[in-house]
Amino acid sequence: MSDTNVADFPQNNEQATTDVGGVAGDRLKSFIERVERLEEEKTALMEDIKEVYGEAKSVGFDIKIIRKIIRLRKMDGEKRREEDELLELYKAAIGMHS
Amino acid sequence: MSDTNVADFPQNNEQATTDVGGVAGDRLKSFIERVERLEEEKTALMEDIKEVYGEAKSVGFDIKIIRKIIRLRKMDGEKRREEDELLELYKAAIGMHS
Amino acid sequence: MSDTNVADFPQNNEQATTDVGGVAGDRLKSFIERVERLEEEKTALMEDIKEVYGEAKSVGFDIKIIRKIIRLRKMDGEKRREEDELLELYKAAIGMHS
Amino acid sequence: MSDTNVADFPQNNEQATTDVGGVAGDRLKSFIERVERLEEEKTALMEDIKEVYGEAKSVGFDIKIIRKIIRLRKMDGEKRREEDELLELYKAAIGMHS
DNA sequence: ACCGTGGTTAGCTTTC
DNA sequence: GAAAGCTAACCACGGT
């Protein structure tokens, strides 16, 4: 935390939190840390998602198909074309080559 | 959930969970729903992040600057980790196992 | 080159280059071939890189180490650039235009 | 070149090129620089490719379609499915919605 | 409203 | 064949 603290860049390290160069240091720092905390959580979530996919894969599912299904459900409606692709994937997965 | 349930596609809708076309329907459905739940959380998090940025902006900060600082700080962390890994590699190369 | 010429797909094969279905055939073809040529060069370059690694390996170096060093050096460059950009941003924020 | 020279890390800076810790410094440095040079060229090429796409776009072409054509030509054969997608894209481009 | 940039995801290659 | 790193494609945001 101390060595490469970029956020402190235009800031004095005296006791108080006051402005330097027109930038309210502490306020800024607080925003930065809030974002960083949220991004950490987001990263954790992304890892969780990956794990679920890994689990599904290890049980024999085709991740590509699952992803497509999820995307499809999100779109939900329009894009019938995607459904066609899914159908093709299913057929390929079953070994039913078109 | 009922209208465009693509996941059910190659599946019979009888009572049980059994295989259809080599795909274990219920198992699949469970994976899909877990991912969807996690992605919802992720979306919420992304909204939170946006809010923080918005708040910062409304108080006069430049979002671009904040983003760059955060990226820089992330790079610091990554760089340090890479350096540690490199050191490990060197040690291993010399035969100095940790 | 002649057998599966997909690019010609929506095109008439008459003498001239004119539009078919709203797509200017010759123009399109030219772009495609330029990209393909560049990608060939890129592929060659990637092979060269591989060769260098192979050579290094054959002389006893640990490729993993070399890769990591290169990545680290690249990060250094990127970080410096980012820092410069941040400085510019700060200056702009203060109204100190370079 | 002088400040963060990671490659020099476990190396003495005396006059000669000799081994330190079992690693032949100069030799290593040479490999690293060769790779870096090649990667620079590769990056330049990637930029050129982007430019071509940009040019095509500025003249009204749909980059997505061009990419798909190029991919298709590279695959050349197998993957009739891709061709179907291309057909759909064409139809959409022309405004002929399926 | 468009463009450019940056961040996310997906596919591929390569390594263990 | 599983895991990771790399590359490429995609998408969304912010700025102009």
Side-chain angles (χ1 to χ4, degrees):
Chain A
M1 194 193 274
S2 53
D3 41 351
T4 49
N5 205 330
V6 184
D8 291 335
F9 185 67
Q11 200 183 322
N12 57 4
N13 281 331
E14 310 199 44
Q15 78 281 45
T17 316
T18 42
D19 293 1
V20 176
V23 181
D26 279 13
R27 202 75 193 276
L28 175 60
K29 189 165 187 177
S30 157
F31 282 124
I32 288 172
E33 283 167 356
R34 276 167 71 196
V35 171
E36 285 177 338
R37 216 157 308 135
L38 291 166
E39 295 212 318
E40 258 174 63
E41 290 180 48
K42 199 181 67 166
T43 300
L45 235 21
M46 285 166 62
E47 275 158 17
D48 289 350
I49 292 173
K50 272 199 164 179
E51 272 172 46
V52 177
Y53 279 121
E55 200 183 329
K57 179 177 189 175
S58 76
V59 172
F61 286 108
D62 183 333
I63 290 183
K64 211 171 160 188
I65 291 182
I66 297 184
R67 282 188 195 281
K68 202 167 275 294
I69 291 172
I70 289 171
R71 214 179 325 139
L72 226 35
R73 281 163 63 111
K74 197 153 66 181
M75 295 205 286
D76 201 69
E78 63 164 359
K79 303 288 183 185
R80 187 59 46 93
R81 181 166 31 88
E82 289 276 20
E83 286 181 17
D84 296 351
E85 284 181 38
L86 176 61
L87 182 56
E88 291 306 319
L89 277 170
Y90 268 112
K91 289 201 285 191
I94 298 171
M96 178 183 160
H97 302 294
S98 56
Chain B
M1 190 191 275
S2 54
D3 40 15
T4 50
N5 206 331
V6 185
D8 290 336
F9 184 67
Q11 202 183 321
N12 57 4
N13 282 332
E14 310 199 42
Q15 77 280 44
T17 315
T18 42
D19 294 359
V20 176
V23 180
D26 279 12
R27 203 74 194 276
L28 175 60
K29 189 165 187 177
S30 157
F31 282 125
I32 288 172
E33 283 166 356
R34 276 167 70 196
V35 171
E36 285 177 339
R37 216 157 308 134
L38 290 167
E39 294 212 319
E40 258 174 62
E41 291 180 49
K42 200 183 70 167
T43 301
L45 233 22
M46 285 166 64
E47 276 157 16
D48 290 349
I49 291 173
K50 269 196 165 183
E51 272 172 46
V52 177
Y53 277 122
E55 199 183 328
K57 181 176 189 175
S58 76
V59 171
F61 286 108
D62 181 334
I63 291 183
K64 214 169 162 188
I65 289 182
I66 298 183
R67 279 190 194 281
K68 202 165 276 292
I69 292 171
I70 289 171
R71 212 173 326 137
L72 234 22
R73 282 164 62 108
K74 192 154 85 181
M75 281 179 64
D76 287 340
E78 279 164 15
K79 184 159 187 269
R80 199 155 323 125
R81 186 162 25 82
E82 295 264 25
E83 279 165 359
D84 293 345
E85 284 177 32
L86 180 59
L87 183 57
E88 290 306 310
L89 246 22
Y90 273 129
K91 291 201 285 191
I94 297 172
M96 179 181 158
H97 303 294
S98 57
Chain C
M1 190 193 275
S2 53
D3 42 272
T4 51
N5 205 333
V6 184
D8 290 336
F9 182 67
Q11 200 184 323
N12 56 6
N13 282 331
E14 310 198 42
Q15 77 280 44
T17 316
T18 42
D19 295 359
V20 177
V23 180
D26 279 11
R27 203 75 194 275
L28 175 61
K29 189 166 186 177
S30 157
F31 282 124
I32 288 171
E33 283 166 357
R34 277 168 70 195
V35 171
E36 284 177 338
R37 215 156 309 134
L38 290 167
E39 295 212 318
E40 259 174 61
E41 291 180 47
K42 201 184 70 169
T43 302
L45 234 21
M46 286 166 64
E47 275 158 16
D48 290 350
I49 292 173
K50 271 197 164 181
E51 272 173 44
V52 177
Y53 278 121
E55 200 183 328
K57 180 175 189 176
S58 77
V59 171
F61 285 108
D62 182 335
I63 290 183
K64 214 169 161 188
I65 288 182
I66 297 183
R67 279 189 195 281
K68 202 164 276 293
I69 291 171
I70 288 171
R71 209 170 334 133
L72 235 21
R73 283 165 61 110
K74 192 156 85 181
M75 281 179 64
D76 286 341
E78 278 165 16
K79 184 159 185 269
R80 199 156 323 125
R81 186 163 24 84
E82 296 262 24
E83 280 166 359
D84 292 345
E85 284 177 33
L86 180 59
L87 183 56
E88 290 306 310
L89 245 22
Y90 273 128
K91 291 201 286 191
I94 298 172
M96 178 182 159
H97 302 294
S98 56
Chain D
M1 192 193 273
S2 54
D3 42 350
T4 49
N5 206 331
V6 184
D8 290 336
F9 183 67
Q11 198 184 326
N12 57 4
N13 282 330
E14 309 199 45
Q15 77 280 43
T17 316
T18 41
D19 294 0
V20 176
V23 180
D26 279 11
R27 203 75 194 275
L28 175 60
K29 189 166 187 175
S30 157
F31 282 125
I32 288 172
E33 284 167 356
R34 276 168 70 196
V35 171
E36 284 178 339
R37 216 158 308 135
L38 290 167
E39 295 212 318
E40 259 174 60
E41 290 180 48
K42 200 183 69 169
T43 300
L45 235 22
M46 285 167 64
E47 276 158 16
D48 290 349
I49 291 173
K50 271 198 164 179
E51 272 173 45
V52 176
Y53 279 122
E55 199 183 329
K57 179 177 187 176
S58 76
V59 172
F61 286 108
D62 182 334
I63 290 182
K64 212 170 160 188
I65 290 181
I66 296 184
R67 282 188 195 282
K68 202 166 274 292
I69 291 171
I70 288 170
R71 215 180 323 139
L72 225 34
R73 280 164 64 110
K74 198 153 64 179
M75 294 205 285
D76 201 70
E78 63 165 358
K79 302 288 184 188
R80 186 61 45 94
R81 180 167 32 90
E82 289 276 20
E83 286 180 15
D84 295 352
E85 285 181 39
L86 176 60
L87 182 58
E88 292 305 321
L89 278 170
Y90 268 114
K91 291 200 285 191
I94 298 172
M96 179 182 160
H97 301 295
S98 57

